[in-house]
Amino acid sequence: MGDMIRASGLVKRYKDVEALAGLDLTVPEGKVLALLGPNGAGKTTAVKCLTTLIKPDAGTAEIAGVDVLKEPALVRSKMGLSGQYAAVDEHLTGYENLVMIGRLYHLGKARSQQRARELLERFDLTEAADRPSKGYSGGMRRRLDLAGALVAEPPVLVLDEPTTGLDVRSRQGMWEVIRELVSSGATLLLTTQYLEEADKLADDIVVIDHGQAIAQGTADELKARTGGERIEVVLADVEDREAATRVLAEVSDGEVKVSDNGRELTAAVRGTATGELLRVLQGFERETVTVLDVGLRRPTLDDVFLALTGHAAESDENESDEKEMAK
């Protein structure tokens, strides 16, 4: 099993801002790599370099063994791209959109029509096939856009934040579609701000910030770097905060974290998690601390990202967004 996507030392500068600062990526055949990072981290710039939309200032990249810089046309024939925003012609029907893409790929009229019907059925769009896509919901437009990326049956797919702006139900539906694609043998590069999305879909995760990879591994490996299990407590009365903190400090491997409202406390445990939880409950009984909720949880990818970068993954700070860089 070889690497279907390979990038080495990708650099891209916009004026005095370095959007990519020597990024390395590899995606084996049939696997999913999630590129995770906040807005402006360089995810979309990396996608544009890999999909021949822009040229990197330095570095190399290959798609299915084809050099991105030397043979861009051949690269485009081997990949499907679904960008952040659904690239559909709203004046055409769903069926017409897919047929048009097939004709652009020189599939021929008959094959383009056949492929359009196959994909409309696969993405549960048959009933809306002959309606103008401007009347589609956000989830339907995203599914149609992903169907368009599959018209030519490419071995490599690049999905740039495919569920941005979707409601929870539509996002989960898109995850099911992506799982089906991977199970059928597709190789996938997925960029996302949603940590849960990376956790559920990716075989491997690369966390990037300021155009550089700052961590890589499976979701479990990255979580392990952040530490063991945590005890989380929600107090019934904020006046119990000091007593609860003292109890948690007895089992905590570090500082007990207290929320701004003073009622939610978190402590990373240093011993056997269930045993330490029992000690905490006994301590709360001794100190007459009343709780609304108490439990154990493993670190999440949110914890990982916060530990690695010092800020949350779903950042709204867009000053360094790539669109601004290009101005």
Side-chain angles (χ1 to χ4, degrees):
M1 184 181 296
D3 293 329
M4 294 295 282
I5 301 175
R6 182 183 293 273
S8 179
L10 287 182
V11 173
K12 184 64 182 178
R13 302 180 184 88
Y14 294 101
K15 297 182 180 178
D16 58 345
V17 177
E18 202 167 40
L20 294 179
L23 183 65
D24 298 331
L25 295 174
T26 57
V27 189
E29 183 179 359
K31 299 296 183 180
V32 180
L33 175 69
L35 198 59
L36 183 65
N39 290 329
K43 301 186 304 295
T44 296
T45 300
V47 165
K48 288 181 176 179
C49 288
L50 290 170
T51 56
T52 76
L53 295 176
I54 60 175
K55 290 184 177 181
D57 297 315
T60 61
E62 292 182 354
I63 301 295
V66 181
D67 191 294
V68 170
L69 294 176
K70 294 179 180 178
E71 299 182 89
L74 183 55
V75 165
R76 288 192 287 271
S77 72
K78 293 181 176 293
M79 70 160 46
L81 169 64
S82 179
Q84 288 187 30
Y85 306 100
V88 299
D89 189 323
E90 64 178 17
H91 299 293
L92 299 180
T93 66
Y95 173 73
E96 290 169 341
N97 266 283
L98 297 183
V99 170
M100 177 185 68
I101 294 171
R103 298 303 297 271
L104 290 172
Y105 272 108
H106 306 291
L107 297 185
K109 181 178 179 181
R111 178 55 180 157
S112 296
Q113 292 175 338
Q114 178 188 17
R115 188 68 179 142
R117 292 299 182 192
E118 291 171 355
L119 290 167
L120 288 165
E121 182 176 358
R122 182 175 188 178
F123 286 88
D124 195 25
L125 292 169
T126 301
E127 291 185 5
D130 298 317
R131 288 176 10 214
S133 59
K134 64 181 177 182
Y136 286 14
S137 67
M140 293 168 67
R141 289 170 67 90
R142 292 303 296 170
R143 296 204 306 274
L144 181 62
D145 185 62
L146 183 52
L150 296 174
V151 167
E153 301 180 86
V156 176
L157 289 172
V158 179
L159 307 183
D160 189 14
E161 301 194 18
T163 62
T164 294
L166 298 186
D167 58 38
V168 173
R169 182 177 179 182
S170 296
R171 183 175 299 137
Q172 291 175 342
M174 184 64 75
W175 290 350
E176 288 302 316
V177 170
I178 292 171
R179 289 190 187 99
E180 289 176 9
L181 294 173
V182 175
S183 66
S184 66
T187 300
L188 176 61
L189 175 64
L190 169 73
T191 77
T192 182
Q193 294 181 61
Y194 298 118
L195 296 156
E196 183 185 8
E197 189 161 86
D199 203 350
K200 289 184 178 294
L201 298 176
D203 298 297
D204 201 19
I205 298 170
V206 172
V207 182
I208 70 170
D209 201 20
H210 301 294
Q212 292 183 316
I214 58 175
Q216 181 170 1
T218 66
D220 286 340
E221 288 169 347
L222 291 176
K223 291 174 186 178
R225 292 178 54 171
T226 311
E229 292 183 285
R230 289 154 166 71
I231 295 176
E232 291 187 342
V233 176
V234 179
L235 300 175
D237 191 335
V238 70
E239 293 184 1
D240 288 333
R241 179 184 56 199
E242 291 187 8
T245 301
R246 287 197 304 271
V247 171
L248 287 168
E250 295 174 3
V251 303
S252 179
D253 186 19
E255 182 181 357
V256 176
K257 297 180 180 178
V258 182
S259 66
D260 291 339
N261 64 21
R263 294 180 56 212
E264 299 168 9
L265 291 77
T266 304
V269 296
R270 55 175 173 261
T272 304
T274 53
E276 301 293 41
L277 179 59
L278 180 59
R279 285 184 60 192
V280 167
L281 293 174
Q282 291 170 339
F284 285 168
E285 185 176 6
R286 182 182 68 246
E287 297 283 347
T288 64
V289 173
T290 304
V291 299
L292 296 177
D293 190 25
V294 61
L296 289 170
R297 74 166 176 85
R298 297 179 62 209
T300 66
L301 285 179
D302 289 278
D303 299 321
V304 172
F305 203 93
L306 187 61
L308 289 170
T309 69
H311 55 84
E314 295 182 335
S315 170
D316 289 324
E317 298 176 359
N318 292 312
E319 288 83 356
S320 60
D321 186 83
E322 289 112 62
K323 289 182 180 179
E324 295 298 315
M325 296 176 187
K327 290 183 178 180

